[in-house]
């Protein structure tokens, strides 16, 4: 019996960076070993699959299609799922180019969008080919109301069912109306044939229409049909109820604080930062519903971006700058090759060696994109797994990344004029008494300072405040600043006193945040003898010293 493919992939034909399969294939939460048959082609001819087996890998969750980048964007730390067959799914010995994936239910644990890629691997595990794909993963209706992850999906399903019922009743209404109108036409035909009965027939027809309309109204009221005006009001009420009561979680230090704030319960999701669990009011008590998210603060259970604005503003990351000691000429292209030719007007491209990383780690990258030399290249062994950003340009980029499960190293591109900087996020700190104006009160006061030993940079140049605090190499010249020191890691609200000089773009000190952005510098632009006392801003990470 002939096997019909669900989808066809021609490895020689370009169909865009991201192939939309939503009109061809969609999964459902809980689907287990439902077959997905792929027809592999090479320039319209069946691809010989001998020695190859199929695999699928990607993310599932609350993603959205980005029309500007042509990609699916997911919340940070959305987990990656993957599956590959053992070669038994290849049909006809591989000659037909058909293979069937029996995907287990572990791939479809959450509803939303699935985005990743599907491809073929050789027997040694190396990737033979792959295509970027996306489709929908629908909620399992049998689980409706069990998992909070599905409440938005269940709401949409309830609205769809209500719309269908309304349409069914509307169709019934139309049938009754059409029947009455048909009867009216017949009566008028009979009246035209017999003028002497015109008055009586006309009166009878009006009575029939009136009776029909009364019957339809009684039917609507008896069967509790939701009419259009009431349905629109219901739609607005439910949308507002869900949006205001459940979408934005509230955060508390612990369960005792939550009970003190809402002893009699409240609508919505409540998150406690001590254990990272979320709570719902159920049966007159706060029910512990488990971990709110997979990564974040404290025991890595809450992610910073999902907290309320008030709590988020009191948190700042604790970062360490990763030292990059060796820069290589040319740029590392998104195709995995090093290109030494470049456009002089876009700067002199450089790239790093492979920087080891581990899954789940978070980093800020501040560097220069270089067309096909992407700012960030995620690697597994010598294979590019992903790269950022998607756009092709030669612009400065600031990007926050989380290392996925299948990545073990990074290669960063930059230019000699704007070299890569990498900051690892170790944890998040919370400041309870952040007072922005405290620096004014403390300025020029006397303190017991502890001397810090600085490490001089082994080359001539300076930290340039006009280039976001980036280091600028400079040929020896007595008229310019020649002596600079490695950045000193600082904490918000620490107080420092510095003595030295400022020389135009080379200021006595510059302060950068955890993303590598310049946020403050010495006010005095040209002086041979300066002494100043200042406070570190709340979002600072490093002090750069001239």
């Amino acid at each position: 019996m002939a096997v019909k493919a669900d989808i066809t992939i021609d490895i020689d034909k370009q169909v865009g960076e991201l192939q939309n399969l939503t009109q061809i294939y969609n999964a459902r939460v809980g689907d287990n070993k439902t077959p997905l048959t792929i027809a592999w082609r090479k320039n319209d001819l069946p691809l010989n699959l001998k020695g190859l087996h199929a695999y699928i890998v990607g993310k599932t969750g609350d993603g959205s299609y980005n029309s500007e980048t042509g990609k699916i964007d997911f919340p940070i730390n959305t987990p990656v799922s993957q599956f590959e067959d053992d070669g038994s799914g290849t049909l006809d010995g591989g000659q037909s180019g058909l293979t069937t994936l029996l995907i287990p239910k572990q791939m479809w644990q959450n509803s939303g969008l699935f985005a990743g890629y599907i491809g073929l691997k050789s027997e040694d595990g190396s990737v033979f080919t792959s295509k970027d794909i996306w489709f929908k993963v629908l909620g399992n209706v049998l689980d409706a109301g069990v998992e909070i992850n599905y409440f938005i999906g269940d709401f949409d399903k309830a609205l769809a069912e209500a719309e269908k019922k309304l349409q069914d009743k509307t169709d019934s209404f139309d049938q009754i109306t059409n029947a009455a109108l048909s009867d009216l036409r017949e009566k008028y035909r009979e009246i035209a044939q017999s003028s002497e009965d015109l008055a009586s027939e006309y009166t009878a027809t009006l009575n029939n229409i009136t009776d029909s309309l009364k019957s339809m109204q009684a039917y609507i009221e008896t069967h509790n049909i939701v009419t259009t005006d009431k349905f629109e009001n219901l739609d607005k009420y439910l949308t507002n109820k869900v949006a205001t009561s459940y979408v934005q979680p509230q955060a508390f230090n612990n369960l005792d604080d939550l009970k003190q704030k809402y002893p009699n319960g409240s609508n919505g999701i409540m998150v406690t930062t001590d254990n990272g669990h979320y709570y719902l009011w159920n049966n007159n008590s706060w029910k512990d519903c488990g971990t709110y998210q997979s990564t974040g603060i404290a025991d890595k259970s809450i992610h910073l971006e999902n907290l309320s604005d008030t709590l988020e503003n009191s948190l700042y990351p604790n970062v360490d700058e990763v030292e990059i000691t060796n820069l290589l000429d040319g740029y590392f292209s998104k195709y995995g090759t090093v290109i030494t030719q470049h456009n002089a007007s876009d700067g002199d491209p450089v790239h790093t060696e492979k920087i080891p990383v581990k899954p789940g780690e978070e980093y800020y990258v501040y560097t220069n994109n270089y067309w096909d030399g992407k700012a960030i290249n995620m690697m597994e062994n010598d294979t590019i797994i992903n790269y950022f950003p998607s756009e092709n340009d030669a612009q400065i980029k600031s990007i926050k990344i989380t290392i996925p499960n299948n990545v073990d190293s990074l290669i960063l591109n930059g230019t000699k004029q704007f070299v890569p900087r990498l900051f690892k996020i170790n944890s998040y700190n919370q400041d309870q008494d952040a007072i922005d104006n405290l620096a004014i009160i403390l300025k020029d006061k006397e303190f017991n300072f502890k001397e810090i030993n600085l490490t001089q940079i082994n080359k001539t140049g300076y930290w340039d405040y006009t280039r976001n605090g980036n280091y600028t190499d400079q040929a020896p010249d007595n008229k310019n600043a020649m002596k600079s020191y490695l950045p000193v890691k600082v904490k918000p609200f620490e107080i420092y006193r510095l003595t030295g000089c400022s020389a135009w773009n080379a200021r006595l000190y510059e302060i950068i945040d955890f993303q590598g952005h310049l946020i403050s510098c010495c006010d005095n632009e040209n002086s041979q003898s300066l002494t100043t006392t200042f406070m570190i801003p709340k979002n600072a990470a490093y002090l750069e010293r001239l």
Side-chain angles (χ1 to χ4, degrees), residues 40 42 45-52 90 93-97 120 128:
W40 295 94
K42 181 176 176 62
L45 297 177
L47 178 66
N48 191 337
L49 301 180
K50 184 176 181 181
L52 301 173
T90 303
Q95 297 296 323
S96 65
L120 295 169
F128 176 77

Side-chain angles (χ1 to χ4, degrees), residues 193-323:
Q193 294 175 356
S194 179
S195 59
E196 66 272 14
D197 295 331
L198 179 60
S200 60
E201 291 291 346
Y202 181 72
T203 301
T205 300
L206 290 178
N207 289 337
N208 286 338
I209 294 175
T210 301
D211 292 341
S212 296
L213 292 176
K214 289 181 178 179
S215 175
M216 285 185 286
Q217 182 63 34
Y219 184 85
I220 290 174
E221 294 175 354
T222 302
H223 291 81
N224 293 322
I225 297 175
V226 180
T227 54
T228 302
D229 58 338
K230 294 181 179 179
F231 181 81
E232 291 177 351
N233 291 335
L234 176 62
D235 182 14
K236 294 178 181 177
Y237 170 77
L238 291 177
T239 301
N240 181 69
K241 184 67 173 176
V242 171
T244 57
S245 300
Y246 294 97
V247 173
Q248 176 66 45
Q250 296 185 50
F252 297 87
N253 290 330
N254 49 52
L255 181 58
D256 290 337
D257 287 354
L258 169 59
K259 290 179 177 179
Q260 183 176 357
K261 178 68 178 293
Y262 296 120
N264 300 317
S266 178
N267 290 334
I269 302 170
M270 309 297 172
V271 180
T272 53
T273 59
D274 60 341
N275 60 6
H277 288 198
Y278 70 97
Y279 294 81
L280 295 176
W281 183 255
N282 185 40
N283 293 329
N284 296 320
S285 65
W286 285 108
K287 181 181 178 182
D288 188 341
C289 298
T291 301
Y292 179 61
Q293 278 196 338
S294 60
T295 59
I297 303 163
D299 61 351
K300 297 187 177 181
S301 60
I302 304 174
H303 202 274
L304 177 62
E305 282 79 357
N306 289 284
L307 298 178
S308 67
D309 292 340
T310 301
L311 185 57
E312 181 180 348
N313 289 337
S314 68
L315 290 148
Y316 57 89
N318 174 29
V319 303
D320 280 327
E321 183 166 9
V322 179
E323 185 177 3

